[in-house]
Amino acid sequence: MEGDKLKYKRVLLKLSGEVLAGTRTFGIDFDAVSKICREILEVARHGIQIVMVVGGGNIFRGAQAVSMGMDRPQADYMGMLATVINALALQDNLERLGLPTRVQTAVVMQEIAEPFIRRRALRHLEKGRVVIFAAGTGSPYFSTDTAASLRAAEIGADCLLKATKVDGIYDKDPMKYDDARKLNFITYLEALSKQLKVMDATAFSLCMENSIPIIVFDILQEGNLRKLLIDGEPIGTLVSSKRGNDGYGCG
Ligand code: UDP
């Protein structure tokens, strides 16, 4: 699929901290970052507009610190700062590959990045820059998945690509059950009622209310982003309101 034939022309790519940790359990795996950035470069060269929301779980997760007795808002501020570290690592790698980028943060830190300004972000996209949104929504008690849904709606993304380390959504935890079955398609309501851990309810609801399809896929599998966006292959699991004739229909 090329040019006019591309199904998704503006996409929001949500990268969790876990994906950036690659094979590690903590911190940034620069091999994984560079692998992901090469995949992004390939689809950006086909003219797809890319905005990214990056998580911070590889560095700091608010809820974990709360379980150790920390004050929730304070812990969440730390979590939001962790996402900025990841965003800067991604920016550095993408720019070394020759792809122009801008980081915009939901918490102002103007020496490091631009503040989030929707119209400016849209202008960057028109100019072929990848925009990386960091610091989540800027408010505690939210997740970067919710930030991803919010930004996807704000900038008019055609879909939200939730990049993970597994190849889609399963009917039960594939790490625990050998007979877990991968789903090609699931509705927002099914995802909400089954309380799937893949995204929180606020994030699913925002996408549902704004009719933004979600695709959960394995970004560490080489070529998946191209297959999904350029070749139009039904990679991963599609979460939407109803089945379409896009290859995700059965199962
Ligand atoms: N966070 C927050 N508000 C937001 C987004 C994130 O307070 O709008 C904090 C929260 O503490 C969270 C941390 O930032 O645990 C890192 O984000 P998240 O856990 O969503 O990262 P991911 O799981 O995608 O790596």
Side-chain angles (χ1 to χ4, degrees):
M1 289 204 286
E2 287 295 328
D4 287 348
K5 296 204 189 91
L6 291 171
K7 183 162 186 209
Y8 303 118
K9 292 186 176 151
R10 177 177 293 171
V11 301
L12 188 141
L13 177 65
K14 162 70 208 302
L15 291 178
S16 66
E18 190 190 28
V19 165
L20 300 181
T23 52
R24 304 158 60 131
T25 51
F26 178 82
I28 299 173
D29 175 346
F30 284 94
D31 287 337
V33 170
S34 118
K35 207 170 147 190
I36 293 166
C37 289
R38 282 197 302 272
E39 307 266 324
I40 294 169
L41 175 70
E42 191 180 1
V43 294
R45 282 200 172 140
H46 281 81
I48 291 179
Q49 296 183 348
I50 302 162
V51 295
M52 289 155 74
V53 166
V54 59
N58 56 324
I59 299 171
F60 196 87
R61 217 182 273 281
Q64 262 166 10
V66 170
S67 70
M68 311 285 284
M70 199 171 173
D71 178 49
R72 173 76 191 256
Q74 185 83 348
D76 281 344
Y77 294 142
M78 290 176 71
M80 284 187 259
L81 291 177
T83 72
V84 179
I85 294 177
N86 285 333
L88 295 180
L90 282 165
Q91 177 174 46
D92 172 78
N93 210 297
L94 287 171
E95 297 219 322
R96 276 193 278 140
L97 292 172
L99 198 55
T101 66
R102 292 291 184 274
V103 174
Q104 291 199 345
T105 56
V107 174
V108 176
M109 43 185 88
Q110 61 191 10
E111 284 80 2
I112 294 174
E114 291 179 3
F116 170 64
I117 299 173
R118 176 176 169 269
R119 281 173 181 276
R120 197 185 272 188
L122 293 172
R123 186 83 187 113
H124 291 321
L125 289 180
E126 284 162 11
K127 290 193 160 188
R129 298 172 186 141
V130 170
V131 183
I132 307 168
F133 293 128
T137 60
S139 297
Y141 299 98
F142 287 102
S143 68
T144 50
D145 281 345
T146 296
S149 308
L150 179 65
R151 297 291 183 242
E154 279 177 295
I155 59 111
D158 301 321
C159 70
L160 191 164
L161 302 179
K162 159 99 181 168
T164 65
K165 283 169 140 182
V166 279
D167 60 352
I169 300 178
Y170 282 74
D171 60 350
K172 46 190 161 185
D173 189 346
M175 302 293 179
K176 285 190 196 152
Y177 301 95
D178 288 342
D179 62 341
R181 195 172 58 93
K182 192 195 140 213
L183 306 169
N184 292 330
F185 174 83
I186 185 167
T187 64
Y188 301 113
L189 286 176
E190 283 166 338
L192 280 165
S193 69
K194 289 190 163 111
Q195 300 189 334
L196 295 178
K197 294 214 171 51
V198 64
M199 267 173 109
D200 55 77
T202 317
F204 274 130
S205 305
L206 258 172
C207 285
M208 180 169 74
E209 279 163 23
N210 295 288
S211 303
I212 301 166
I214 303 164
I215 298 172
V216 180
F217 75 107
D218 180 358
I219 189 135
L220 297 176
Q221 183 72 42
E222 203 175 325
N224 261 358
L225 201 57
R226 172 182 45 76
K227 285 183 198 162
L228 219 170
L229 294 174
I230 312 298
D231 305 336
E233 287 184 32
I235 300 291
T237 302
L238 172 69
V239 188
S240 178
S241 53
K242 56 179 187 298
R243 288 170 200 274
N245 55 354
D246 45 19
Y248 288 98
C250 46

mmCIF file of all heavy atoms in Angstrom, residues 64-91:
data_model
loop_
_atom_site.group_PDB
_atom_site.id
_atom_site.type_symbol
_atom_site.label_atom_id
_atom_site.label_comp_id
_atom_site.label_asym_id
_atom_site.label_seq_id
_atom_site.Cartn_x
_atom_site.Cartn_y
_atom_site.Cartn_z
ATOM 1 N N GLN A 64 4.133 1.299 42.125
ATOM 2 C CA GLN A 64 5.078 0.461 42.875
ATOM 3 C C GLN A 64 5.604 1.210 44.102
ATOM 4 O O GLN A 64 5.697 0.661 45.200
ATOM 5 C CB GLN A 64 6.262 0.078 41.984
ATOM 6 C CG GLN A 64 6.097 -1.306 41.381
ATOM 7 C CD GLN A 64 7.073 -1.562 40.252
ATOM 8 O OE1 GLN A 64 8.003 -0.778 40.037
ATOM 9 N NE2 GLN A 64 6.847 -2.639 39.528
ATOM 10 N N ALA A 65 5.946 2.485 43.894
ATOM 11 C CA ALA A 65 6.476 3.283 45.003
ATOM 12 C C ALA A 65 5.399 3.520 46.055
ATOM 13 O O ALA A 65 5.694 3.575 47.258
ATOM 14 C CB ALA A 65 7.015 4.608 44.473
ATOM 15 N N VAL A 66 4.137 3.627 45.599
ATOM 16 C CA VAL A 66 3.025 3.813 46.541
ATOM 17 C C VAL A 66 2.905 2.586 47.444
ATOM 18 O O VAL A 66 2.668 2.701 48.655
ATOM 19 C CB VAL A 66 1.707 4.087 45.772
ATOM 20 C CG1 VAL A 66 0.502 4.031 46.697
ATOM 21 C CG2 VAL A 66 1.784 5.457 45.089
ATOM 22 N N SER A 67 3.112 1.392 46.850
ATOM 23 C CA SER A 67 3.026 0.171 47.668
ATOM 24 C C SER A 67 4.137 0.122 48.719
ATOM 25 O O SER A 67 4.053 -0.612 49.692
ATOM 26 C CB SER A 67 3.060 -1.077 46.774
ATOM 27 O OG SER A 67 4.349 -1.227 46.214
ATOM 28 N N MET A 68 5.179 0.926 48.528
ATOM 29 C CA MET A 68 6.261 1.018 49.533
ATOM 30 C C MET A 68 5.998 2.167 50.514
ATOM 31 O O MET A 68 6.866 2.518 51.313
ATOM 32 C CB MET A 68 7.622 1.275 48.864
ATOM 33 C CG MET A 68 7.953 0.363 47.700
ATOM 34 S SD MET A 68 8.425 -1.277 48.230
ATOM 35 C CE MET A 68 10.067 -0.965 48.798
ATOM 36 N N GLY A 69 4.836 2.820 50.384
ATOM 37 C CA GLY A 69 4.461 3.859 51.334
ATOM 38 C C GLY A 69 4.602 5.282 50.821
ATOM 39 O O GLY A 69 4.330 6.240 51.538
ATOM 40 N N MET A 70 4.970 5.456 49.568
ATOM 41 C CA MET A 70 5.176 6.811 49.051
ATOM 42 C C MET A 70 3.834 7.493 48.737
ATOM 43 O O MET A 70 2.855 6.831 48.416
ATOM 44 C CB MET A 70 6.021 6.730 47.774
ATOM 45 C CG MET A 70 6.668 8.025 47.408
ATOM 46 S SD MET A 70 7.850 7.836 46.061
ATOM 47 C CE MET A 70 8.201 9.549 45.805
ATOM 48 N N ASP A 71 3.841 8.796 48.817
ATOM 49 C CA ASP A 71 2.681 9.614 48.489
ATOM 50 C C ASP A 71 2.392 9.488 46.986
ATOM 51 O O ASP A 71 3.305 9.604 46.173
ATOM 52 C CB ASP A 71 3.053 11.065 48.861
ATOM 53 C CG ASP A 71 1.979 12.054 48.534
ATOM 54 O OD1 ASP A 71 0.823 11.808 48.901
ATOM 55 O OD2 ASP A 71 2.312 13.080 47.892
ATOM 56 N N ARG A 72 1.127 9.219 46.620
ATOM 57 C CA ARG A 72 0.800 8.906 45.222
ATOM 58 C C ARG A 72 1.163 10.025 44.217
ATOM 59 O O ARG A 72 1.869 9.769 43.234
ATOM 60 C CB ARG A 72 -0.693 8.531 45.121
ATOM 61 C CG ARG A 72 -1.222 8.343 43.717
ATOM 62 C CD ARG A 72 -0.785 7.016 43.121
ATOM 63 N NE ARG A 72 -1.070 6.926 41.710
ATOM 64 C CZ ARG A 72 -2.060 6.240 41.162
ATOM 65 N NH1 ARG A 72 -2.883 5.556 41.919
ATOM 66 N NH2 ARG A 72 -2.226 6.221 39.852
ATOM 67 N N PRO A 73 0.715 11.270 44.442
ATOM 68 C CA PRO A 73 1.077 12.295 43.459
ATOM 69 C C PRO A 73 2.595 12.444 43.296
ATOM 70 O O PRO A 73 3.103 12.559 42.174
ATOM 71 C CB PRO A 73 0.438 13.573 44.010
ATOM 72 C CG PRO A 73 -0.696 13.087 44.849
ATOM 73 C CD PRO A 73 -0.208 11.809 45.460
ATOM 74 N N GLN A 74 3.308 12.411 44.430
ATOM 75 C CA GLN A 74 4.775 12.556 44.366
ATOM 76 C C GLN A 74 5.389 11.420 43.536
ATOM 77 O O GLN A 74 6.250 11.641 42.681
ATOM 78 C CB GLN A 74 5.326 12.506 45.808
ATOM 79 C CG GLN A 74 6.811 12.761 45.929
ATOM 80 C CD GLN A 74 7.150 14.246 45.938
ATOM 81 O OE1 GLN A 74 6.309 15.084 45.645
ATOM 82 N NE2 GLN A 74 8.375 14.568 46.259
ATOM 83 N N ALA A 75 4.906 10.195 43.770
ATOM 84 C CA ALA A 75 5.415 9.033 43.034
ATOM 85 C C ALA A 75 5.092 9.182 41.552
ATOM 86 O O ALA A 75 5.924 8.871 40.679
ATOM 87 C CB ALA A 75 4.792 7.756 43.593
ATOM 88 N N ASP A 76 3.901 9.672 41.254
ATOM 89 C CA ASP A 76 3.507 9.830 39.851
ATOM 90 C C ASP A 76 4.329 10.918 39.149
ATOM 91 O O ASP A 76 4.635 10.806 37.959
ATOM 92 C CB ASP A 76 2.008 10.131 39.751
ATOM 93 C CG ASP A 76 1.164 8.867 39.910
ATOM 94 O OD1 ASP A 76 1.722 7.758 39.789
ATOM 95 O OD2 ASP A 76 -0.053 8.994 40.148
ATOM 96 N N TYR A 77 4.695 11.962 39.885
ATOM 97 C CA TYR A 77 5.568 12.983 39.271
ATOM 98 C C TYR A 77 6.894 12.335 38.866
ATOM 99 O O TYR A 77 7.444 12.615 37.787
ATOM 100 C CB TYR A 77 5.840 14.147 40.233
ATOM 101 C CG TYR A 77 4.613 14.980 40.577
ATOM 102 C CD1 TYR A 77 4.420 15.484 41.859
ATOM 103 C CD2 TYR A 77 3.649 15.272 39.608
ATOM 104 C CE1 TYR A 77 3.291 16.241 42.183
ATOM 105 C CE2 TYR A 77 2.519 16.027 39.923
ATOM 106 C CZ TYR A 77 2.349 16.503 41.200
ATOM 107 O OH TYR A 77 1.231 17.244 41.510
ATOM 108 N N MET A 78 7.398 11.467 39.734
ATOM 109 C CA MET A 78 8.645 10.770 39.404
ATOM 110 C C MET A 78 8.453 9.903 38.154
ATOM 111 O O MET A 78 9.309 9.851 37.273
ATOM 112 C CB MET A 78 9.111 9.908 40.584
ATOM 113 C CG MET A 78 9.601 10.730 41.752
ATOM 114 S SD MET A 78 10.046 9.711 43.175
ATOM 115 C CE MET A 78 11.544 8.928 42.596
ATOM 116 N N GLY A 79 7.294 9.230 38.095
ATOM 117 C CA GLY A 79 6.995 8.399 36.919
ATOM 118 C C GLY A 79 6.962 9.229 35.646
ATOM 119 O O GLY A 79 7.497 8.833 34.607
ATOM 120 N N MET A 80 6.353 10.396 35.734
ATOM 121 C CA MET A 80 6.258 11.263 34.546
ATOM 122 C C MET A 80 7.651 11.710 34.098
ATOM 123 O O MET A 80 7.934 11.784 32.897
ATOM 124 C CB MET A 80 5.360 12.461 34.843
ATOM 125 C CG MET A 80 3.891 12.081 34.846
ATOM 126 S SD MET A 80 2.840 13.517 34.998
ATOM 127 C CE MET A 80 2.396 13.471 36.710
ATOM 128 N N LEU A 81 8.510 12.002 35.069
ATOM 129 C CA LEU A 81 9.883 12.405 34.700
ATOM 130 C C LEU A 81 10.613 11.247 34.013
ATOM 131 O O LEU A 81 11.400 11.465 33.089
ATOM 132 C CB LEU A 81 10.646 12.867 35.949
ATOM 133 C CG LEU A 81 10.154 14.185 36.543
ATOM 134 C CD1 LEU A 81 10.926 14.516 37.821
ATOM 135 C CD2 LEU A 81 10.279 15.337 35.543
ATOM 136 N N ALA A 82 10.317 10.019 34.442
ATOM 137 C CA ALA A 82 10.953 8.846 33.818
ATOM 138 C C ALA A 82 10.606 8.783 32.327
ATOM 139 O O ALA A 82 11.452 8.440 31.491
ATOM 140 C CB ALA A 82 10.506 7.567 34.525
ATOM 141 N N THR A 83 9.375 9.150 31.995
ATOM 142 C CA THR A 83 8.973 9.102 30.578
ATOM 143 C C THR A 83 9.775 10.117 29.750
ATOM 144 O O THR A 83 10.016 9.898 28.567
ATOM 145 C CB THR A 83 7.459 9.377 30.374
ATOM 146 O OG1 THR A 83 7.197 10.755 30.599
ATOM 147 C CG2 THR A 83 6.590 8.530 31.275
ATOM 148 N N VAL A 84 10.183 11.213 30.382
ATOM 149 C CA VAL A 84 10.958 12.232 29.661
ATOM 150 C C VAL A 84 12.352 11.678 29.318
ATOM 151 O O VAL A 84 12.875 11.891 28.212
ATOM 152 C CB VAL A 84 11.062 13.545 30.476
ATOM 153 C CG1 VAL A 84 11.880 14.586 29.721
ATOM 154 C CG2 VAL A 84 9.685 14.092 30.804
ATOM 155 N N ILE A 85 12.931 10.944 30.242
ATOM 156 C CA ILE A 85 14.246 10.319 29.989
ATOM 157 C C ILE A 85 14.139 9.404 28.765
ATOM 158 O O ILE A 85 14.966 9.454 27.842
ATOM 159 C CB ILE A 85 14.720 9.530 31.234
ATOM 160 C CG1 ILE A 85 14.981 10.499 32.389
ATOM 161 C CG2 ILE A 85 15.959 8.693 30.912
ATOM 162 C CD1 ILE A 85 15.378 9.845 33.693
ATOM 163 N N ASN A 86 13.089 8.580 28.735
ATOM 164 C CA ASN A 86 12.899 7.682 27.589
ATOM 165 C C ASN A 86 12.685 8.456 26.291
ATOM 166 O O ASN A 86 13.210 8.084 25.237
ATOM 167 C CB ASN A 86 11.693 6.767 27.841
ATOM 168 C CG ASN A 86 11.995 5.673 28.833
ATOM 169 O OD1 ASN A 86 13.144 5.249 28.970
ATOM 170 N ND2 ASN A 86 10.979 5.189 29.530
ATOM 171 N N ALA A 87 11.915 9.532 26.376
ATOM 172 C CA ALA A 87 11.627 10.320 25.171
ATOM 173 C C ALA A 87 12.921 10.909 24.596
ATOM 174 O O ALA A 87 13.122 10.928 23.371
ATOM 175 C CB ALA A 87 10.639 11.440 25.503
ATOM 176 N N LEU A 88 13.809 11.359 25.487
ATOM 177 C CA LEU A 88 15.063 11.952 25.011
ATOM 178 C C LEU A 88 15.959 10.893 24.361
ATOM 179 O O LEU A 88 16.653 11.165 23.377
ATOM 180 C CB LEU A 88 15.791 12.663 26.159
ATOM 181 C CG LEU A 88 15.048 13.880 26.741
ATOM 182 C CD1 LEU A 88 15.857 14.499 27.868
ATOM 183 C CD2 LEU A 88 14.725 14.928 25.686
ATOM 184 N N ALA A 89 15.927 9.672 24.902
ATOM 185 C CA ALA A 89 16.710 8.576 24.304
ATOM 186 C C ALA A 89 16.188 8.269 22.904
ATOM 187 O O ALA A 89 16.965 8.080 21.957
ATOM 188 C CB ALA A 89 16.640 7.335 25.193
ATOM 189 N N LEU A 90 14.869 8.246 22.759
ATOM 190 C CA LEU A 90 14.273 7.975 21.445
ATOM 191 C C LEU A 90 14.595 9.099 20.462
ATOM 192 O O LEU A 90 14.930 8.858 19.305
ATOM 193 C CB LEU A 90 12.748 7.854 21.576
ATOM 194 C CG LEU A 90 12.227 6.537 22.118
ATOM 195 C CD1 LEU A 90 10.770 6.681 22.531
ATOM 196 C CD2 LEU A 90 12.368 5.425 21.075
ATOM 197 N N GLN A 91 14.496 10.329 20.941
ATOM 198 C CA GLN A 91 14.779 11.479 20.077
ATOM 199 C C GLN A 91 16.206 11.409 19.551
ATOM 200 O O GLN A 91 16.458 11.586 18.359
ATOM 201 C CB GLN A 91 14.569 12.783 20.854
ATOM 202 C CG GLN A 91 14.934 14.012 20.016
ATOM 203 C CD GLN A 91 14.594 15.310 20.707
ATOM 204 O OE1 GLN A 91 14.887 15.489 21.883
ATOM 205 N NE2 GLN A 91 13.993 16.227 19.978
#
